[in-house]
Structures are given as C-alpha cells and as structure tokens.
Amino acid sequence: MTTVPVSFSVNGTPYDLHVEPRRLLSDALRHDLRLTGTHVGCEHGVCGACTVLVDGDPVRSCLLFAVTLDGAEITTVEGCCAPSGGMGPVQQAFHECHALQCGFCTPGFVTTVTAYLCDHRDPTRAEAREAVSGNLCRCTGYVNIVSAVQRAAELTAGLTAEDRS
Amino acid sequence: MTTRLFGERVPRVEDPRLVTGNGRFLDDLGHDALEAAFVRSPHAHARIVDIDVSEALDVEGLVAIYTYDDLDGRTGEALPLLIPHPTLTHGRTPHALARDEVNHVGEAVVMVVATSRYVAEDAAERVRVEYDFLPAVVGIEAARAAEELVHDDVPGNLAARMVQQTGDADAAVDAAPNLLELDLEIERSASMPLEGKGVLARWDPDDESLLVHTSTQTSTSVRQALAAKLGLPVDRVEVVTPDVGGGFGVKIVHPWPEEILVPWAAIRLGRPVKWTEDRREHFVSSAHERGQLHHVRVGYDDEGVLAGLSVRFWHDNGAYVPYGLIVPIITSTQLLGPYKPGVYRVEFDSLYTNTVLVTPYRGAGRPQGCYVMERVMDAIAAERGIDRTVVRERNFIRPEEMPYDHGLIFQDGRPLLYDSGDYPATLAKLKKLVGWDGFEAYREQARAEGRRVGIGLACYVEGTGVGPYEGGHIRVETDGTVVVSTGLTTQGQGHRTMLAQIVADELGVPFDRVRVTTGDTRRFKYAVGTFASRTAVMSGSAVALTARSVRDKALTIAAEALEVDVEDLEVVDGHVRVKGSPSSSIDLGAVAVLSNPLRYAFDEAAARATQFAAPADPEKPPVGPGEQPGLEGSDYYSPPRSTFANGMHAVVVETDPDTAEIRVLRYCVVHDCGTLVNPMLVEGQIHGGVAQGVGGALYERMEYAPDGQLLNASFMDFLMPYASEVPEVEIDHLVTPSPLNPLGVKGAGEAGVIPGAAAIASAIEDAEGLTITRMPISPSELFALRAAHRKETP
Ligand code: FES
Ligand code: FES
C-alpha cells in the first residue's frame, strides 16, 4: 500500500513520517515512533487507554488515522513527565495515591487528567470522579484514581506557585 | 534500628516506570517481529469442509499461512487437560488450530503470519473456509436437555458429574421443621483485563534456544508445556512475563493455542513472531466464567438454624475443559461460607455448550457459591421474620470451633479445613461500619423524600494460598544489592513491593537495596503460578524462609571475619554488626565478597576476595565441605493445605421508583486476610474486586444469541463499570493470623469480588420487597420483576 507523508510533533519533538493512510495514530506512536507508553485496550474508542493530547485536547489515538494529524502538537504520557525526566505532578499523584495496579490504563488517565487540570484547578471529589469517568480501569475500582486527581491538582498548584515565585 | 516494613503502606516500586510510560507490556516488545493474525470461526458449531487460501497468497507482505494440516508432531495433538479429575469422565480440549470441527465462535482455524498485523489481517480476510453447519448448544437449559450434542462422543453434554456429601442431607432437610426450595441463576461474565493476551517468540538457531514472552499468569508452566509440545529439551526454552496488564484468572490457562503456534511459527520461519490479541478476539476466544443454575433445598429450625442443605447445580463449562473442574469444585465447597450447613450434599453437572470455554475469573466459582448461600440466608430470614444478620450469626462457625473440618474435599484435593477466623467479630464490625441497626431510621427518612433505599449484606470464606509450593532465590551482590526472584508471575498486584518488604525485614537491609523479579524462567525455574490469592502466602513465605537462610549464611561468614560468635551478631541496615558494639561491623556487600574466594582481581572488591587475600588456614580448602561460594540461597514453602480468609460486605442501594435504575450508595467491607504485609496494596485489591463485583451484579454479562453468536463482544456493549458506576469503598480490617505459614498471612487478591452479587441482590430485595433469584440484574429486569410482583400480589 502507498504511504503518505505527515508531519507532527510529539512531546515537543518534530517528526516527518511516511505512513499508510490507514495507519492508526496509536500504531504510529507505538510502533513507528516507539513511544509505547500509549496503550491500546480496545481499539474501538471506549477504554481510553490510548488517550493522547492533540493540541492540548484529549483524544483517542485508536480512532484517528495518523495522516490526519499533519501539523498537530501531540502529547503522550511520556510527555507528562517532569522536565527532569522524573514523574510529573499527575504521575506523582498516581504513585502517591496507589492509583494504579497493572498500569495498563494509567497512561490514558494521566493524559486525561493532565488536560482536565489545565482548566479545573481545584476539583471536588465528585468533579474528580466525573473527570475520569470516560476511562476504563479493570484493576483499581477507581477509588484511588479519584483521590489522585485531587492530589494532582494540589501538586500542580504547588508547581505553578513555585513558577510564579 | 531498621524500621520494620511488614505492615507498612510502602509506596510501590513498580510505579515510576508505569506512570511515565516506561512499562514494557507484550506489545511494547518485538517491533521488528513478524506479526500473526488468526482466521477464527464465525460459527458456533460446524464441520470444516474446506479451507482455500489461494486469494490470500497474493497479499504483499504475507509470509506464511498455516492450517491444522501443517501442525507437525505434538503440536497437532489436542491441547492438554491441565487438571484431570476422576469425575471428569469426558474431558475434551481444543487443538491449537481447529482440526475438522469448530465448537464456538472465535475458535482459531487458520494462522496467518505477515510483515505487520495490518497485512496479516488483509490476508486473513481473504482466506475462505467452507463450513457444514451443526446445531449449536447454547445455555445451560439446552445443554442439559441434550437434544443436540456439542461433542458427538459426549452423551448428555456431560463432562463431569460430581457429588460430595457429609450424610443424608435430603433426609435431614425433610425431617427439619421448615423447608425452602430455591432456584437461582447467575450469568456469564469474564475477567476482561485491559490488556489482552499476547505472545512474542524468538528462536536463536545458533544457540538452538527459544525465548518466549507471553502475557501469562504462569511462565514456568508455559515453559514446560512449550518444551513438550514443540519437542524441545526444556533447558532450551525460557519464558518471560513482561509487564502484564491484568489477568484476573484468564491468563492462568495455558498453553493457549497462540502460545504454541507463535513459537512454533518462529522456529519454522527462523524469525521473531508476535501476536497481540485484540479486544474482539479476547471476547470470543479467551475464557469466560460464572454461568450456573442452582436448585437448593434447605431445612432449618424455627430459629433459622440449618439442619440440612442439599444443592444441585449445573455449570456451563463452554466448549472445552482444559482447566478441569476447578470452578464448580470451588463453588460446591466454598458455597458453605462461614456457616455450618447441618448435613450437606452437593451434586453438580459440568456441561458442554458451543460457547467460549469457562475457566477461573477472580473469585473462581466462589461468587456463585456465595450468592447461593446468601440468598438462602435471606430467604430463611424473610420466611422466619428474623433479622438477616441474626440468621447468619446463628449459623456461623464459632471461633472456638476452629480449626473447622467440613468433611469435604477442597479444590487442592485436601480436606476443606478452615484454619482460623472470627466470624461473629467480623459481622459485629460490619454492622457498626455500615450502621446496620440505624438503617430503618434512614429508610424512613429516605421514604419521606420519596426515595427508595435498601441494605444488604453477604459473607464469604475464601480458601487462599493453595499449594503445592512456591520458591524464592536471593543473592546479595558485592555492592550490597539484594536480588530476589520468585517464579510466579505478577499482573499488577504490586508483588515486587510486597516481596521486597518481606525480604528487607527478614534480611535486615534497606528497602531500596532489594530488587525483585517475578515470572522469568531464566531466573527461577520452579513455580506454580499466580491464582487463588496465593502470592503473599506462597511466595511471601518462600522469600521469607530464603532470606532467613541467606541471613544465617551471612552471619556465619561475618562471624569468622569479625572473630566473634554468630550469636553475638545482628544484621541492621545492611550491616552485620556486633550486638551492643555497632562500630565493629561489616556490610553485607563485603560479606558477599568474602563468600566467594576468587582467583582474579578485576576490581577493588574482587581484589579483597582473591584466594591470596584472606588470611585463610592453609590446611583448609577455600570453599569448605558443605559450603558454596556466593551469599545466596533458595528455599521453598509448601503448606499442608490452604488457608482460609473471610470477609463480609454490606451495601446500601437506591432504586428509582419510576425508572428502576439501581444505584449503589454505600459499599462497606470488613475483611480478614490474616496479617497484612502492605495494607495499601490489600485495600487496592479490595477496591478492584468490589468494582468487579458491582459490575458482575449490575452490568456485565455475556449475551449469547441462541445460535451461539456473542452479541456484545465489545466494550461498547459489555458494560464494565466506569468511575461513574463504582461507589466509594469503606473498609475495616480484622486480623486473624493464619497458623499455617511463617508470616501469618492469608490471600487477598480475589476477596473483593466474591460477595458483590450476593450483597447487592440482598439490598435490592430489601429496597423493593420482592424476591431476586437471578443476577446480574438490569433496570429493565427490575422493572419487569416489579410488574410481575404487582400481578402476583394485587
Ligand atoms: S484503545 Fe482507544 S479507547 Fe480503547
Ligand atoms: S491499573 Fe490495571 S487497568 Fe487500570
């Protein structure tokens, strides 16, 4: 099958790819760019494990063709790390709250929550629950994930305050 | 002093990799491998007439197409029946690729290997398989009626019939002052881990060795099975579990057809081959569970105390029984929960249907048993007009009756003998936690607001830590790193953290010096696997025993070096030191150096250990008789029988008077799994189990059409709960240490799911004042029940 050129950036790094028009963004990220943090749990848009940010908005990379992303700025779970390369605030919160077990769903939650916190600084527990209610997790029962959203909000606020001072 | 880690909420060492996207799951490996796809049967029951691959051959990038006829040697044999049982008189297992007949939608018929999954699917799509249709047997009633057969040579579709009894239960039931008969049903569900199965195989022709990564719950057994099936010496095969995205039982079954076929193809092709299961494949070709019908006769006195219990049930085992009768045996024994049944008899039929095979899903037959027994308790309470907690209390095994022998044989072939537990105390805690006694006031208050609420509870006992054994190996490296391995696998439970806590304590080293590997046969060859809530009990005990022996070895070596008695030494913070005089000490890394007399000095540490370095007795060999170089050791733990954890759940539900929508308002858990290594991890297991319990009670079911098509084989239609459906979980622990193992632990992995359907049924019944005999229950089913109930009681 013929390939088509497409250019986008992932976690700040620009990439020029040649992909088949049918190649899913999830496969392009995982297998062409070897950014395997983005996981595929259903390939039909329901579980949210494949969630990445496209220009800041959470999208399901299993439902997008890579070629449609020309010019986009994509952020994956690998891009949610701290500048030092360690855990970023959302990742740190998931760790502190024991919000993951097998960790297969976690990248999708991390990206989803990262986007959510950009415009929800201080969610209540009910709001936090709502924020993650489009992602499936089979291991944790969500209790600690909800806690992690709130903890991530605290940690993010702390970082922002540090930035300002 | 080193702080004791046992019992602490130690954050997980697994997390930093996983949260940053640096986990390595099966499909994250082998980017350059060839990829496989399968042509699977679209029919539930059919004979294969012809397979035509000619159209597929033109697909660019196709590497190979295999059908049953290509399978040579033992790969062409039926897959093993892993757990035979004398009553399993008609055990049938599938072939890696269907031979001449398919018995469920999703059975693998043709394997395609290509340069990518996309291409493999292109080719698979072009393979034409001609089938002769056979009638499909779907559902327990059809299987039982046996008008059609799944396997020609299995009369009555009956794989097994098994009876256990402690006496003449039916006579006891008939003689009792009161008698109830109940028909109860529970539907199919499935483990449904977020990561499906997957296999990557690499054959090294120079080394004549096979390296297989597979998303399994038992790498050691897959290794044995592969060697046997592929005709390879076992020592040429290694099996590694990468990060595994959940298992919940489905990945304990082995070898899956793909686990044989992918390595087989890799050897034939001389190139790495990978297969990653997609979600639809998982629905139609991995295993399901639950699915049982029960008929119960129970006799009891006026106080509600059981005199006799006679249970007849029918278990849908799907098209094949590679995992034997484990699920129905567990149902038949664990049904008893914390109660004394009086005289007990249970008889079950394990029946074939033309559906996906049935093997353990978290809880493994217990949720069904618990549901049945708890429905019985509620029915007696209702009939006698006694509080539901009181009926239960009156039938409990008392703590002073422990150990309690039920006079039955459990799943491990050993007596069903409860080791410990305090059920009245657990119930008292639960009543307090949920506010059982104050509920009527709450109900009234809700009623005044036009709301309908109900409360329910369910109790269970769970045999955990099933044998036969697990082992551990520990080596202290010369830099003081403690390398631990155990053979069983991990799927997200946090085993590395939990086992490191145990080793750090037992050995006396800082937690961050301990590195744990699980499920890698290159590191540890002997193991059973991860199931039956057994890791903390089995591998936990094994690594504790191992750590103790390594510590002893360290003390012996250090005693010589420090010229003191072993009794005068202790290990603290990674140093062996003289008690009361901490300045005379030697770190464990240095002890490891001394343990291994070297000839060559390749670095400073090694120089200290060369045979010329030590002021050794020239008359003695550098490694004495009975000694071994290296500060390392292995040990095994093998319990006489299972240990029995228990717990009780209480649920408050609200049902919408108009729409019959069901909402769980509160979910309370009291749980006794013996001593807790890491309460945070145990609570996490409970949370996850509860979510699966809620899913199994209200949302999840496998909807088979009468022709054997699975109608809801996607996450869009099989409704696993999101955060919006799962309640907060309130937990209280009770600790009754197990007398059976050195740590006093009992398993915790499955408990959370067991009483879900039972407790929620109890609560809905309480809210609605009608009888529930079938779970899961949807709003429309509740709506229909209400209508039927109104008709009956105008
Ligand atoms: S993999 Fe994309 S939503 Fe499930
Ligand atoms: S942690 Fe396993 S699916 Fe969420």
Side-chain angles (χ1 to χ4, degrees):
Chain A
M1 209 178 260
T2 47
T3 58
V4 177
V6 57
S7 304
F8 48 65
S9 82
V10 183
N11 305 327
T13 309
Y15 292 96
D16 298 311
L17 293 174
H18 287 266
V19 294
E20 289 184 359
R22 63 176 176 174
R23 193 145 182 90
L24 297 173
L25 176 60
S26 51
D27 286 333
L29 291 170
R30 290 176 44 73
H31 300 302
D32 298 337
L33 303 183
R34 310 237 164 146
L35 291 167
T36 53
T38 300
H39 295 158
V40 177
C42 69
E43 328 88 29
H44 50 254
V46 183
C47 73
C50 66
T51 306
V52 300
L53 308 182
V54 171
D55 302 327
D57 292 328
V59 299
R60 312 239 144 156
S61 62
C62 73
L63 293 183
L64 286 175
F65 294 118
V67 289
T68 64
L69 274 293
D70 204 49
E73 285 184 24
I74 299 170
T75 308
T76 67
V77 65
E78 289 94 341
C80 298
C81 292
S84 65
M87 289 185 276
V90 179
Q91 295 163 334
Q92 178 71 32
F94 270 66
H95 174 50
E96 284 178 19
C97 298
H98 185 34
L100 65 149
Q101 289 181 28
C102 76
F104 196 79
C105 68
T106 311
F109 278 95
V110 167
T111 48
T112 303
V113 173
T114 300
Y116 175 77
L117 291 179
C118 287
D119 32 48
H120 302 81
R121 297 293 149 110
D122 187 19
T124 64
R125 200 161 168 88
E127 288 165 348
R129 191 171 272 279
E130 172 79 28
V132 292
S133 63
N135 289 56
L136 283 173
C137 172
R138 193 57 163 166
C139 297
T140 64
Y142 306 105
V143 179
N144 295 342
I145 292 181
V146 175
S147 306
V149 176
Q150 291 191 290
R151 177 69 183 136
E154 274 171 30
L155 289 173
T156 309
L159 286 179
T160 327
E162 248 170 57
D163 273 358
R164 269 196 231 109
S165 60
Chain B
M1 267 309 286
T2 319
T3 356
R4 193 170 148 78
L5 295 166
F6 195 104
E8 293 300 314
R9 309 176 74 88
V10 177
R12 301 201 325 168
V13 296
E14 289 87 344
D15 292 351
R17 290 171 55 245
L18 294 172
V19 295
T20 53
N22 287 303
R24 287 294 174 269
F25 297 84
L26 194 282
D27 191 45
D28 302 343
L29 311 171
H31 294 284
D32 298 320
L34 299 174
E35 291 202 79
F38 289 86
V39 177
R40 296 181 183 277
S41 170
H43 308 297
H45 199 190
R47 240 180 279 288
I48 299 168
V49 179
D50 184 47
I51 300 175
D52 177 4
V53 302
S54 51
E55 268 184 63
L57 298 176
D58 305 332
V59 173
E60 200 187 315
L62 175 74
V63 176
I65 302 184
Y66 301 115
T67 67
Y68 175 80
D69 291 336
D70 296 305
L71 302 179
D72 51 358
R74 295 196 57 196
T75 48
E77 294 174 0
L79 297 180
L81 203 169
L82 293 169
I83 311 179
H85 192 277
T87 64
L88 183 51
T89 50
H90 291 76
R92 297 291 177 274
T93 57
H95 292 84
L97 290 171
R99 190 174 52 181
D100 39 28
E101 189 176 313
V102 287
N103 279 301
H104 65 86
V105 169
E107 190 162 352
V109 180
V110 180
M111 181 194 200
V112 178
V113 182
T115 48
S116 80
R117 177 66 175 248
Y118 288 73
V119 177
E121 290 190 15
D122 287 345
E125 210 164 68
R126 288 166 173 75
V127 173
R128 301 274 165 262
V129 185
E130 195 187 317
Y131 296 96
D132 246 1
F133 302 139
L134 296 167
V137 179
V138 177
I140 291 175
E141 268 113 4
R144 196 163 60 178
E147 279 160 24
E148 310 291 350
L149 296 181
V150 175
H151 303 285
D152 287 344
D153 56 349
V154 180
N157 293 315
L158 189 64
R161 173 169 294 165
M162 185 168 166
V163 180
Q164 288 210 66
Q165 55 195 350
T166 61
D168 191 342
D170 282 293
V173 171
D174 291 330
N178 307 289
L179 179 149
L180 272 176
E181 299 207 26
L182 285 86
D183 286 295
L184 298 164
E185 183 177 346
I186 197 155
E187 291 190 40
R188 266 196 185 212
S189 187
S191 305
M192 213 48 70
L194 213 55
E195 181 208 32
K197 308 200 301 291
V199 188
L200 166 66
R202 298 175 174 105
W203 171 250
D204 182 338
D206 301 325
D207 193 48
E208 293 193 340
S209 65
L210 179 68
L211 177 63
V212 175
H213 285 73
T214 176
S215 188
T216 183
Q217 290 175 228
T218 174
S219 50
T220 45
S221 263
V222 172
R223 173 174 180 256
Q224 301 282 346
L226 275 178
K229 284 287 173 191
L230 301 175
L232 293 170
V234 181
D235 79 316
R236 300 285 82 198
V237 181
E238 300 292 359
V239 176
V240 182
T241 32
D243 288 315
V244 173
F248 314 113
V250 67
K251 296 177 183 175
I252 190 63
V253 182
H254 65 280
W256 286 98
E258 301 86 356
E259 277 174 329
I260 305 270
L261 294 167
V262 170
W264 174 82
I267 294 170
R268 289 196 100 163
L269 299 168
R271 295 171 66 182
V273 179
K274 177 166 83 168
W275 167 74
T276 309
E277 187 178 56
D278 69 27
R279 188 51 54 186
R280 184 178 153 73
E281 285 185 292
H282 188 80
F283 269 99
V284 298
S285 66
S286 289
H288 301 165
E289 213 232 83
R290 310 287 193 249
Q292 291 179 353
L293 280 181
H294 286 244
H295 179 75
V296 185
R297 299 181 74 240
V298 59
Y300 51 96
D301 70 13
D302 293 342
E303 304 296 301
V305 176
L306 301 184
L309 179 66
S310 177
V311 178
R312 178 81 174 93
F313 76 92
W314 294 267
H315 170 79
D316 175 356
N317 61 226
Y320 304 105
V321 282
Y323 214 69
L325 299 176
I326 290 300
V327 172
I329 290 177
I330 293 176
T331 302
S332 65
T333 45
Q334 296 261 269
L335 183 147
L336 296 175
Y339 310 111
K340 291 178 282 190
V343 188
Y344 179 55
R345 178 180 197 275
V346 61
E347 174 175 350
F348 69 77
D349 287 357
S350 192
L351 297 163
Y352 288 107
T353 56
N354 289 112
T355 60
V356 172
L357 55 93
V358 166
T359 66
Y361 158 34
R362 194 182 208 166
R366 293 177 187 87
Q368 298 94 311
C370 176
Y371 162 72
V372 168
M373 193 64 180
E374 296 297 306
R375 294 282 69 216
V376 168
M377 286 293 154
D378 282 354
I380 294 174
E383 192 275 327
R384 287 283 91 201
I386 311 172
D387 182 276
R388 285 169 288 166
T389 61
V390 174
V391 172
R392 285 168 169 80
E393 170 97 43
R394 286 180 186 160
N395 284 289
F396 279 158
I397 297 162
R398 317 295 309 177
E400 58 276 14
E401 292 172 294
M402 292 291 175
Y404 186 84
D405 189 349
H406 272 290
L408 302 170
I409 301 297
F410 190 43
Q411 61 152 319
D412 51 3
R414 305 281 170 126
L416 182 70
L417 183 74
Y418 293 178
D419 55 326
S420 57
D422 187 342
Y423 308 140
T426 311
L427 183 61
K429 264 185 187 269
L430 182 73
K431 285 177 73 172
K432 189 156 164 246
L433 181 63
V434 72
W436 185 268
D437 292 330
F439 189 77
E440 285 315 314
Y442 175 71
R443 193 200 305 276
E444 279 317 311
Q445 184 195 328
R447 202 191 316 261
E449 295 162 9
R451 295 165 53 222
R452 194 181 286 183
V453 296
I455 191 169
L457 84 162
C459 315
Y460 68 90
V461 168
E462 182 197 5
T464 67
V466 175
Y469 72 88
E470 287 299 334
H473 178 265
I474 297 177
R475 183 174 57 248
V476 181
E477 303 286 12
T478 51
D479 65 357
T481 305
V482 178
V483 182
V484 182
S485 50
T486 186
L488 57 60
T489 60
T490 192
Q491 304 87 41
Q493 299 91 334
H495 292 153
R496 285 177 199 146
T497 304
M498 183 268 291
L499 296 172
Q501 284 178 252
I502 294 172
V503 170
D505 275 356
E506 294 285 348
L507 206 52
V509 297
F511 179 72
D512 58 12
R513 305 311 299 270
V514 185
R515 312 232 186 298
V516 179
T517 301
T518 58
D520 184 338
T521 65
R522 295 171 301 186
R523 300 283 302 279
F524 204 85
K525 308 274 186 215
Y526 294 97
V528 184
T530 299
F531 60 93
S533 307
R534 65 196 293 282
T535 304
V537 178
M538 303 300 302
S539 280
S541 298
V543 299
L545 295 173
T546 307
R548 286 173 198 177
S549 72
V550 171
R551 184 175 176 279
D552 287 346
K553 185 167 184 181
L555 291 180
T556 309
I557 296 166
E560 200 164 314
L562 297 170
E563 296 176 330
V564 291
D565 268 0
V566 167
E567 285 74 48
D568 296 332
L569 292 174
E570 60 185 358
V571 188
V572 178
D573 240 351
H575 290 75
V576 186
R577 65 185 197 192
V578 179
K579 285 178 200 163
S581 134
S583 56
S584 77
S585 87
I586 172 169
D587 73 83
L588 274 181
V591 176
V593 168
L594 296 178
S595 74
N596 180 19
L598 294 171
R599 172 155 183 98
Y600 306 112
F602 41 81
D603 64 12
E604 251 176 69
R608 283 192 283 153
T610 57
Q611 57 186 308
F612 305 107
D617 181 342
E619 293 309 310
K620 278 200 205 151
V623 178
E627 291 174 5
Q628 286 178 351
L631 184 48
E632 66 176 349
S634 261
D635 207 345
Y636 291 83
Y637 170 68
S638 180
R641 58 186 166 271
S642 302
T643 174
F644 287 83
N646 76 89
M648 303 185 189
H649 293 194
V651 183
V652 177
V653 299
E654 175 166 357
T655 56
D656 188 296
D658 299 320
T659 64
E661 194 191 332
I662 305 160
R663 259 194 334 131
V664 178
L665 299 182
R666 287 183 65 203
Y667 202 111
C668 299
V669 174
V670 177
H671 182 254
D672 185 350
C673 64
T675 51
L676 305 177
V677 184
N678 184 329
M680 178 188 84
L681 297 182
V682 172
E683 285 162 18
Q685 288 298 312
I686 294 173
H687 293 162
V690 166
Q692 284 175 321
V694 170
L698 299 176
Y699 309 108
E700 296 168 14
R701 68 183 82 197
M702 292 293 170
E703 282 180 37
Y704 271 102
D707 65 358
Q709 293 296 333
L710 184 57
L711 300 177
N712 61 341
S714 84
F715 280 169
M716 245 153 337
D717 304 300
F718 178 84
L719 303 177
M720 298 203 316
Y722 286 103
S724 38
E725 282 77 43
V726 178
E728 299 288 342
V729 182
E730 303 161 54
I731 301 176
D732 196 359
H733 298 283
L734 190 78
V735 176
T736 315
S738 171
L740 296 181
N741 62 67
L743 304 173
V745 295
K746 302 178 177 183
E750 297 175 87
V753 79
I754 296 170
I760 290 173
S762 179
I764 296 173
E765 200 170 89
D766 183 55
E768 294 282 324
L770 43 74
T771 309
I772 300 211
T773 59
R774 224 178 131 188
M775 291 295 275
I777 185 166
S778 67
S780 4
E781 284 162 329
L782 179 57
F783 197 85
L785 274 183
R786 281 178 183 169
H789 186 68
R790 272 197 301 272
K791 248 193 211 157
E792 279 163 29
T793 50

